[in-house]
Amino acid sequence: FFAAYHLSRKPISIVKSELHRNCSTVIRPVDLNITNNATWCDWAPFDQDNYQTLFGVLDNSFLVAYAIGMFFSGIFGERLPLRYYLSAGMLMSGLFTALFGLGFYWNIHSLGYYAFMQVMNGLVQTTGWPAVVACVGNWFGKGKRGFIMGVWNSHTSVGNILGSLIAGVFVSSAWGMSFIVPGIIIASTGILCFFFLVESKFLFSQRLPTPKQGRALRHVCNPLLQNAPHTDRTVNSAISTDPPGVVEDHTEAISFCGALSIPGVVEFSLCLLFAKLVSYTFLYWLPLYISNVAHFEAKEAGDMSTLFDVGGIVGGIMAGLVSDYTGGRATTCCVMLIVAAPMVSVTIFPYIGMLLVCGGLVNGPYALITTAVSADLGTHESLRGNSRALSTVTAIIDGTGSVGAALGPLLAGVISPTGWNNVFYMLISADVLACLFLSRLVYKEAQSWCGRAPRQRG
């Protein structure tokens, strides 16, 4: 389901290079009366010299709203049925994504209109991540959680890839469809979620009969089946006469401060802030960077940028596998971030392999923290079996990370006019800071491996 969320976020990065183009390379219609040869093919208000700043406004309208809303989303997610919560969020996200694209057909040139659609879309998309992580965390235990969630988390990269490819089909002819089609897809996925999502193993087991109910059911049904010659006489033990009601959970939901007090939540949240800053800068600016540096068309630049997400799929799975084997979530993240720091400065077009490797190293820690680490902390032993903390913990971690996701594209929009190298220096600095926030946890994991973990006092 969450692949649809990412699919609907990606079009803006693809469409940027169409909203502001190099009009000197575009064939001008003969009957077109123009006053400015340099910007005649651009879409106002992005036809001005400050177009990169305006793109930054659009990015941050979504990301700031997403970051703020995320801190409240987990609180609501703990108290509302996840199936209803996810379905409503997907339907509303589809609406606002499509409305953004309709601005093309309605000939809207107001920055405020597009920024408002981004704000509303950012708010409703906060329904997604805490809810889906809570659902997956409820289904799987800790044993192979890193690998399972690493494979599962590949849906974010798959969503980015599909969003790039779908948006690229329409971007050169009618960029509005680059938003409308993903909007329809995520709304349709929301309908599927409403009818088919089962939130946890516990709720699923409640739909199945107990052995006693199965024997009673056969006792009642067998005489009836014997009188029905054309009916199969076997009664499946999975048939239940009880209506599939909602099972009440009387565990008290955890508070915001209570979630912050869980060991490791603050460190991983601050690490994710800088890791997500790097990841989302690539997400929103890589197609435009490729277009400017390699002089590709919008569709070709979008297709090339998907290599970063392909690498992200492998990186997320590898991070999960390594952390499961070693038991060191923090160390795995730290090593990948250290290696990624020098790599981000060479991810230019001629180095296609670098795009794949950098995508894996950047998105690996990001994927691990937002999935397996969040699930581990949300089911931490200090919670004493409280199963209703997972969504809140996930929201705090991802909400803090979303602050970095908002800062990254904003800083890229401000810094990029001074040169793309300065943007890469900013990304390297962010990777180093992410590692520093994990240093205490890495030290504790190293102590445990060496068998010198400090004894608890008292």
Side-chain angles (χ1 to χ4, degrees), residues 70-349:
M70 184 61 71
F71 289 102
F72 300 97
S73 176
I75 297 174
F76 289 122
E78 298 287 4
R79 293 159 174 81
L80 297 173
L82 295 179
R83 182 165 62 94
Y84 299 153
Y85 195 50
L86 269 173
S87 300
M90 286 182 171
L91 290 172
M92 294 301 294
S93 181
L95 172 64
F96 290 117
T97 301
L99 285 173
F100 191 106
L102 287 172
F104 172 80
Y105 295 98
W106 294 341
N107 202 29
I108 296 175
H109 296 277
S110 168
L111 178 65
Y113 172 84
Y114 296 110
F116 178 75
M117 292 302 138
Q118 287 286 85
V119 169
M120 296 306 298
N121 201 8
L123 289 174
V124 298
Q125 287 227 353
T126 61
T127 60
W129 193 245
V132 295
V133 172
C135 288
V136 176
N138 290 335
W139 273 91
F140 298 103
K142 292 185 178 181
K144 298 294 182 181
R145 181 175 278 169
F147 172 69
I148 292 171
M149 285 195 158
V151 174
W152 170 76
N153 188 66
S154 64
H155 68 257
T156 59
S157 295
V158 171
N160 290 337
I161 293 170
L162 291 176
S164 298
L165 297 177
I166 292 172
V169 172
F170 306 102
V171 64
S172 299
S173 56
W175 62 260
M177 291 300 295
S178 297
F179 292 90
I180 294 173
V181 172
I184 293 173
I185 291 174
I186 188 173
S188 302
T189 307
I191 295 173
L192 293 175
C193 174
F194 179 81
F195 286 107
F196 298 108
L197 177 66
V198 180
E199 299 173 15
S200 69
K201 291 188 294 185
F202 180 67
L203 291 178
F204 179 75
S205 66
Q206 297 304 309
R207 297 172 183 262
L208 302 177
T210 63
K212 182 178 179 181
Q213 290 174 328
R215 289 192 296 271
L217 186 61
R218 286 192 295 270
H219 177 74
V220 172
C221 293
N222 281 341
L224 299 176
L225 293 175
Q226 290 173 358
N227 295 327
H230 300 291
T231 305
D232 187 359
R233 301 189 180 207
T234 62
V235 180
N236 194 307
S237 60
I239 299 175
S240 174
T241 56
D242 296 333
V246 177
V247 179
E248 296 183 2
D249 185 357
H250 298 287
T251 307
E252 183 180 356
I254 193 172
S255 66
F256 186 87
C257 294
L260 282 177
S261 65
I262 298 173
V265 168
V266 173
E267 289 92 337
F268 277 111
S269 296
L270 293 174
C271 173
L272 184 63
L273 187 150
F274 291 100
K276 208 166 181 180
L277 182 152
V278 177
S279 180
Y280 269 65
T281 300
F282 278 104
L283 175 67
Y284 280 90
W285 285 90
L286 184 58
L288 183 63
Y289 167 72
I290 294 174
S291 179
N292 288 349
V293 173
H295 307 292
F296 275 28
E297 292 295 327
K299 183 181 185 304
E300 295 171 333
D303 292 345
M304 180 65 68
S305 69
T306 60
L307 293 174
F308 185 83
D309 292 300
V310 172
I313 295 175
V314 179
I317 296 173
M318 291 303 298
L321 273 173
V322 173
S323 67
D324 279 343
Y325 179 76
T326 63
R329 308 282 198 209
T331 304
T332 302
C333 292
C334 193
V335 170
M336 295 185 78
L337 289 168
I338 290 173
V339 179
M343 296 286 290
V344 298
S345 61
V346 293
T347 53
I348 57 177
F349 163 67

Side-chain angles (χ1 to χ4, degrees), residues 6 9 12 16 55-71 115 117-123 125-126 276-277 279-285 366 398-411:
H6 270 257
R9 297 178 193 177
I12 184 65
K16 281 178 182 177
F55 287 152
V57 170
L58 290 185
D59 293 341
N60 279 273
S61 296
F62 176 92
L63 293 169
V64 171
Y66 185 85
I68 295 173
M70 184 61 71
F71 289 102
M117 292 302 138
Q118 287 286 85
V119 169
M120 296 306 298
N121 201 8
L123 289 174
Q125 287 227 353
T126 61
K276 208 166 181 180
L277 182 152
S279 180
Y280 269 65
T281 300
F282 278 104
L283 175 67
Y284 280 90
W285 285 90
Y366 161 40
D398 199 50
T400 307
S402 296
V403 174
L407 286 175
L410 174 64
L411 293 174

